Amino acid sequence: MRVRAQQVLDEVVRGDEAVVLWDGQILRVSALAHSIRELSRDWIELSDLAVALAQRHGAPDGDLVEALTPVVADLAYAGLVETRD
């Protein structure tokens, strides 16, 4: 799977977190979600994204891609990233 951040109307970054204006909603984005969006400005393979996030935030227990998949799915559902197989 590949991931790419969606363009938002506006984004304010404070520290590691962000607030985005998307589709008429203001969404608070966690440090992890902000990193996902930042690292996926261009299409990136999920496995490469997982490695980059582990370097930035530390590796979770278990499989990196398996841990990242539901987070990316939530961001895709919110419209903040898009995915392709």
Side-chain angles (χ1 to χ4, degrees), residues 1 8 16-18 24 26 30 35-36 47 56 58 62 75 80-81:
M1 177 189 333
V8 295
D16 292 334
E17 298 180 347
I26 297 172
S30 70
S35 290
I36 290 169
S47 57
R56 187 178 281 192
L75 290 173
L80 296 177
V81 300

Side-chain angles (χ1 to χ4, degrees), residues 6-10 20-27 78-80:
Q6 292 281 68
Q7 293 287 8
V8 295
L9 185 59
D10 198 9
V20 297
L21 178 58
W22 167 252
D23 196 28
Q25 298 179 12
I26 297 172
L27 303 171
L80 296 177

Side-chain angles (χ1 to χ4, degrees), residues 3-4 7 10-11 15 19 22-23 25 28 31 41-42 45-46 48 50 59 62-63 66 68-69 76 79 82:
V3 180
R4 179 173 70 176
Q7 293 287 8
D10 198 9
E11 182 172 22
V19 175
W22 167 252
D23 196 28
Q25 298 179 12
R28 181 175 174 261
R41 289 191 176 138
D42 293 317
E45 289 292 330
L46 188 63
D48 295 334
D63 183 77
E66 190 175 298
L68 182 57
T69 299
E82 61 180 313

